[in-house]
Amino acid sequence: MDRKPGQFKDKETTLKRFHLLMLAAALAVCSLAAQAQAAEIKIGFIDADRINRESAPAERATKKLEKEFAPREQELRKMEQQIKSLQGQLEKDGLTMSETDRRNKEQELGRQTREFQRLQREFREDLNLRRNEELAALFERANKVIKQIAEAEKFDLILQEAVYRNPRIDITDKVLKALAADK
């Protein structure tokens, strides 16, 4: 091995510096934690998934989207039935049809299938875009309500995601009630 003189010594010095730095950081964190505990920080938690599922504005948005996209969805179902019907007709009568008729039906089936897939893809993209717009509006309203609750009840910190949370700090029900009242 090609070792340079002092190569391990530099690594040892760097490692010692790193350990000292980590020790200092740990002490700083412990100090901050002790200060925070002495200051009695008030923490709250909201479950964003519950707000998305159970809030009155989320339910209104879902109904609005269903109503808005229902005609296109019905058109896609109708088109799907036509494709299945044409496919069934081809399977049933394909052997007795002339070669030209069978080829024409197969081409028509392929054209309709491609058109259906294109329309279905556009439908999903448009629906997802509108759903994201509605969710953004919902969470904008929810954030205003959360800030109002935080200020009124003097919270220092409100979290939306956590690995673990004690149910006593969960303020999701308060947010849901406030959103229901806020039309």
Side-chain angles (χ1 to χ4, degrees):
M1 293 195 160
D2 296 343
R3 291 188 192 148
K4 297 178 184 172
Q7 180 181 7
F8 290 113
K9 187 175 183 181
D10 290 338
K11 286 184 180 178
E12 288 175 12
T13 305
T14 304
L15 191 59
K16 286 180 183 178
R17 287 182 184 158
F18 177 75
H19 285 299
L20 285 173
L21 182 61
M22 293 304 292
L23 181 61
L27 288 173
V29 168
C30 289
S31 173
L32 287 174
Q35 289 174 1
Q37 193 173 26
E40 300 250 354
I41 292 179
K42 187 172 181 181
I43 297 175
F45 175 83
I46 59 117
D47 187 340
D49 289 334
R50 271 190 64 205
I51 290 173
N52 186 28
R53 284 189 322 266
E54 299 173 19
S55 70
E59 291 172 1
R60 286 193 299 269
T62 299
K63 289 177 184 172
K64 180 179 177 183
L65 289 173
E66 287 172 356
K67 184 178 179 182
E68 183 178 329
F69 284 89
R72 285 176 65 184
E73 188 174 17
Q74 288 173 350
E75 188 63 34
L76 282 171
R77 285 186 188 144
K78 180 180 172 185
M79 195 173 191
E80 184 178 30
Q81 288 303 317
Q82 289 173 346
I83 290 170
K84 286 181 180 178
S85 174
L86 184 58
Q87 193 172 24
Q89 184 182 5
L90 253 173
E91 289 172 4
K92 179 182 170 190
D93 300 332
L95 296 175
T96 59
M97 287 180 169
S98 69
E99 182 68 27
T100 307
D101 287 343
R102 187 178 51 76
R103 191 174 318 118
N104 287 340
K105 293 275 186 195
E106 287 173 347
Q107 287 175 350
E108 178 64 18
L109 177 64
R111 186 192 64 72
Q112 283 185 14
T113 302
R114 284 187 303 277
E115 179 69 8
F116 173 74
Q117 289 171 344
R118 182 186 66 78
L119 291 173
Q120 193 176 40
R121 185 175 50 252
E122 288 176 2
F123 174 81
R124 282 192 306 262
E125 289 171 358
D126 292 346
L127 179 61
N128 285 334
L129 181 66
R130 285 288 294 122
R131 183 180 295 129
N132 289 340
E133 289 171 359
E134 292 293 329
L135 281 176
L138 166 66
F139 280 106
E140 186 176 320
R141 277 186 267 159
N143 283 336
K144 287 179 185 175
V145 167
I146 292 166
K147 286 178 185 176
Q148 290 170 351
I149 291 171
E151 290 170 0
E153 297 186 21
K154 299 189 182 343
F155 279 93
D156 295 305
L157 178 67
I158 296 184
L159 303 170
Q160 285 187 348
E161 292 185 28
V163 174
Y164 170 78
R165 64 189 183 270
N166 190 318
R168 72 177 169 77
I169 67 168
D170 192 338
I171 62 167
T172 305
D173 288 331
K174 291 179 184 178
V175 175
L176 290 171
K177 287 176 187 173
L179 283 171
D182 179 39
K183 298 192 180 199

